[in-house]
């Protein structure tokens, strides 16, 4: 399969990550089978993928086609030869970093998911408030976070649940509180209001890149203090319990304040629709040129 995306979570760590695993799901629906199965052409897909390490990894493909990928992790010092075709990138910040024309910074391709999964009318949603951590935050703090989310009246939804389950939970929510950027992207395209937060993991560049693509003003709410899964080291664990409980209560207060007082975000219907059409123009271009 000639799709390049960040698959290390599933291949090396044995876990899913929604923001990465949507690539084979969505790109198979968009691009012709002969492109997907090609050994000559590689589609660089959804994710923060453009950096020196990945450029080097893909050097043996005669043609690399970038579809809505972003800049943001790792160094980027290389120049790109004619084997690279940047049909579009995640947003204007990525376009600037890559010295592309601003109009190439269209949007994250995951916004197209709403054309393949039902957008649930507001009055039919029954998931309430959904809290989505970054995958790495779930690893390091999922035990107390899931408890605090429940006490704040929210369902806890880590990005490693099956894709259809994740999409259904977000689509059926009244409000999404998310540290995972693709939780926000999915919520927005499914027309579910969302609030961005950061606990342990936050890459401001990639969030600003996507915010700018939809003409939104960047914002993020820090939840504090930092909380962690209980340590497994004998008596030391029990000595820390009172301190951990205090931190959890403070974190819970922080989360409740975000839910109660933060203005949820939802991009303009008109802007989102225009961005999706531009992405489909890129899809048609790729299929016609390389199919």
């Amino acid at each position: 399969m000639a799709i390049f995306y960040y698959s290390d979570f599933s291949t090396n760590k044995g876990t899913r990550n929604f923001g990465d695993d949507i690539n084979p799901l969505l790109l198979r629906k968009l691009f012709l089978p002969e492109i997907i199965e090609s050994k000559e052409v590689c589609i660089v897909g959804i994710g923060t993928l453009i950096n020196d390490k990945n450029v080097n990894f893909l050097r043996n493909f005669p043609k690399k086609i970038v579809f809505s990928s972003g800049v943001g992790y790792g160094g980027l010092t290389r120049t790109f030869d004619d084997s690279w075709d940047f049909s579009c990138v995640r947003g204007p910040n990525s376009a600037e970093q890559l010295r592309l024309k601003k109009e190439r910074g269209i949007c994250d391709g995951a916004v197209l998911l709403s054309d393949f999964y039902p957008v649930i009318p507001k009055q039919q949603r029954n998931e309430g408030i959904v809290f989505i951590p970054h995958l790495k935050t779930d690893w390091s703090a999922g035990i107390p976070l899931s408890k605090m989310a429940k006490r704040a009246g929210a369902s806890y939804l880590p990005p490693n649940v099956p894709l259809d389950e994740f999409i259904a939970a977000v689509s059926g929510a009244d409000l999404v509180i998310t540290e995972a950027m693709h939780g926000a992207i999915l919520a927005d395209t499914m027309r579910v209001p969302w609030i961005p937060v950061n606990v342990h993991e936050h890459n401001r560049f990639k969030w600003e890149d996507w915010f700018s693509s939809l003409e939104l003003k960047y914002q993020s709410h820090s939840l504090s203090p930092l909380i962690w899964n209980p340590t497994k080291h004998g008596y030391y664990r029990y000595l820390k319990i009172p301190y951990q409980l205090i931190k959890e209560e403070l974190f819970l207060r922080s989360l409740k304040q975000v839910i109660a007082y933060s203005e949820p975000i939802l991009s303009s219907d008109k802007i989102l629709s225009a961005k999706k059409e531009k992405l489909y123009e890129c899809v048609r271009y790729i299929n016609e040129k390389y199919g």
Side-chain angles (χ1 to χ4, degrees), residues 66-133:
V66 177
F67 176 73
S68 77
S69 312
V71 174
Y73 292 134
L76 183 62
T77 59
R78 293 175 178 267
T79 56
F80 295 88
D81 59 24
D82 291 342
S83 70
W84 287 83
D85 186 345
F86 287 88
S87 67
C88 62
V89 291
R90 176 184 282 152
N93 294 359
S94 286
E96 181 179 5
Q97 287 287 309
L98 293 163
R99 300 178 183 177
L100 303 172
K101 292 182 178 179
K102 188 176 181 179
E103 53 265 29
R104 294 287 183 92
I106 297 176
C107 199
D108 192 291
V111 298
L112 299 179
L113 283 167
S114 56
D115 292 339
F116 300 96
Y117 288 85
V119 176
I120 300 174
K122 184 176 181 179
Q123 63 273 19
Q124 295 179 20
R125 298 173 188 162
N126 56 14
E127 294 289 338
I129 301 172
V130 171
F131 179 88
I132 306 172

Side-chain angles (χ1 to χ4, degrees), residues 4-6 17-23 44-51 54 65-74 76 85-112 134 179-186 202-216 218 271-272 274-276 278-279 282:
F4 179 75
Y5 64 102
Y6 194 69
N17 185 32
F18 175 79
D20 301 312
D21 292 346
I22 52 178
N23 277 282
V44 184
I46 295 164
T48 310
L49 300 172
I50 310 300
N51 57 48
N54 291 338
I65 308 164
V66 177
F67 176 73
S68 77
S69 312
V71 174
Y73 292 134
L76 183 62
D85 186 345
F86 287 88
S87 67
C88 62
V89 291
R90 176 184 282 152
N93 294 359
S94 286
E96 181 179 5
Q97 287 287 309
L98 293 163
R99 300 178 183 177
L100 303 172
K101 292 182 178 179
K102 188 176 181 179
E103 53 265 29
R104 294 287 183 92
I106 297 176
C107 199
D108 192 291
V111 298
L112 299 179
H134 189 281
E179 184 183 32
M181 194 177 79
H182 279 96
I185 293 171
L186 178 63
H202 186 74
N203 183 313
R204 178 164 178 160
F205 180 91
K206 74 175 190 178
W207 276 90
E208 285 188 329
D209 197 24
W210 179 62
F211 266 82
S212 297
S213 75
L214 291 174
E215 300 180 26
L216 295 170
Y218 166 81
I271 292 172
L272 179 62
K275 295 295 183 175
K276 289 169 72 174
K278 288 181 179 179
L279 287 170
C282 292

Side-chain angles (χ1 to χ4, degrees), residues 136-187:
K136 291 182 179 179
T137 298
D138 177 61
W139 291 348
S140 60
I143 294 172
L145 276 179
S146 60
K147 290 192 301 182
M148 296 306 102
K150 184 176 180 180
R151 289 182 61 190
S155 301
Y156 184 76
L157 182 67
N160 58 4
V161 301
L163 293 175
D164 286 349
E165 181 181 332
F166 190 92
I167 292 171
V170 171
S171 302
D174 295 310
L175 174 67
V176 169
I177 313 293
T178 181
E179 184 183 32
M181 194 177 79
H182 279 96
I185 293 171
L186 178 63

